[in-house]
């Protein structure tokens, strides 16, 4: 049995699922779910394929193992000397309730080769993964994608894809500063034609960060 929460346990907590409820949805017993959640039974591909649809993830994501990783032995080294970097994945469930600038709850930590992300991981940056649930930026960004955000980049320049707080929750949108406007304003658009674009004063727009990458399953 594991000494710390398994990936399944964290996902169940995120989705607010009990052992009996997940067992009912996956057509298995609460005892089986308990063993998987506690790490007493190995998370096989068969189990992952069976449970993943009820947890909002794909089966490979459920197979990634425990996601509360031990601290790296290279903690304290300058970024350029680190062979790997740990990047948190944040929950966006409480974005509406959180005040602007308030730290988001951490769901997981991703460990990536430093060389892969060194162009975006520098002094003053604040990288973090998030999972977007809306379809406003399809096909470039799918609801199952993990998107890497620089949370330190909260000004709409240069033009690009940003994570904003839209009054309902967190959403990805294309932002482009409008020249010659006073007060300064931006054009906010989505890739999907189902979402209408609009103009907004910069001072009224809550920008959480700028997209610098994404992780997609094929």
């Amino acid at each position: 049995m594991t000494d710390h929460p398994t990936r399944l346990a964290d996902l169940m907590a995120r989705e607010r699922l009990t052992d009996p409820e997940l067992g009912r949805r996956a057509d298995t017993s609460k005892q089986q779910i308990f063993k998987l959640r506690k790490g007493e039974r190995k998370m096989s591909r068969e189990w992952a394929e069976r449970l993943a649809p009820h947890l909002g993830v794909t089966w490979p994501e459920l197979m990634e193992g425990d996601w509360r990783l031990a601290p790296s032995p290279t903690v304290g080294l300058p970024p350029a000397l680190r062979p790997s970097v740990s990047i948190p994945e944040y929950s966006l469930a409480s974005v509406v309730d959180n005040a602007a600038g308030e730290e988001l709850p951490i769901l997981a930590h991703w460990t990536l080769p430093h060389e892969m992300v060194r162009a975006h991981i520098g002094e003053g940056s604040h990288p973090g993964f998030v999972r977007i649930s809306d379809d406003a930026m399809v096909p470039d960004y799918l609801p199952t994608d993990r998107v890497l955000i620089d949370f330190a980049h909260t000004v709409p320049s240069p033009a690009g894809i940003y994570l904003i707080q839209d009054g309902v929750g967190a959403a990805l949108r294309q932002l482009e500063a409008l020249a010659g406007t006073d007060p300064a304003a931006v054009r906010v658009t989505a890739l999907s034609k189902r979402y209408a674009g609009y103009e907004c004063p910069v001072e009224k727009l809550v920008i959480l960060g700028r997209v610098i990458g994404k992780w997609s399953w094929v």
Side-chain angles (χ1 to χ4, degrees):
M1 183 167 62
T2 61
D3 296 327
H4 47 280
T6 59
R7 187 168 178 81
L8 175 60
D10 279 331
L11 287 170
M12 288 178 63
R14 186 186 75 180
E15 300 296 324
R16 299 181 180 180
L17 286 174
T18 62
D19 293 350
E21 178 60 21
L22 182 57
R24 184 187 66 79
R25 296 185 185 186
D27 193 25
T28 188
S29 68
K30 65 180 182 181
Q31 289 82 6
Q32 294 285 15
I33 299 299
F34 175 86
K35 291 179 181 179
L36 290 164
R37 178 170 59 81
K38 289 294 186 179
E40 296 178 3
R41 169 161 295 186
K42 182 179 179 182
M43 179 59 69
S44 65
R45 175 170 176 172
E46 180 181 357
W47 276 113
E49 289 180 335
R50 190 169 176 178
L51 299 177
H54 309 292
L55 297 166
V57 296
T58 60
W59 72 262
E61 291 176 297
L62 190 51
M63 289 283 292
E64 284 173 4
D66 196 289
W67 60 2
R68 296 194 182 280
L69 304 178
S72 169
T74 59
V75 168
L77 289 176
L81 298 181
R82 296 175 190 169
S84 63
V85 60
S86 179
I87 301 178
E89 178 179 344
Y90 293 105
S91 168
L92 297 177
S94 60
V95 163
V96 176
D97 298 327
N98 283 20
E102 186 175 335
E103 193 71 18
L104 296 170
I106 295 177
L107 292 175
H109 282 90
W110 293 53
T111 298
L112 300 175
H114 183 263
E115 191 67 21
M116 179 186 295
V117 293
R118 69 188 181 99
H120 304 288
I121 307 298
E123 196 70 32
S125 65
H126 181 180
F129 281 101
V130 297
R131 179 172 176 261
I132 305 300
S133 58
D134 73 335
D135 60 355
M137 301 303 288
V138 171
D140 289 5
Y141 298 89
L142 303 177
T144 55
D145 290 343
R146 292 303 194 276
V147 182
L148 183 58
I149 305 291
D150 181 1
F151 286 93
H153 194 139
T154 56
V155 294
S157 179
I161 309 298
Y162 289 79
L163 182 67
I164 67 172
Q165 183 176 334
D166 64 359
V168 177
L172 291 184
R173 293 293 186 271
Q174 170 84 36
L175 301 185
E176 182 179 3
L178 299 176
T181 56
D182 186 15
V186 294
R187 178 73 175 168
V188 183
T189 56
L191 295 180
S192 172
K193 294 182 179 179
R194 295 174 52 237
Y195 297 80
Y198 60 93
E199 296 179 5
C200 179
V202 172
E203 61 184 15
K204 293 186 177 181
L205 186 65
V206 180
I207 301 175
L208 302 176
R210 186 173 188 267
V211 173
I212 56 178
K214 71 173 182 176
W215 178 279
S216 299
W217 292 106
V218 294

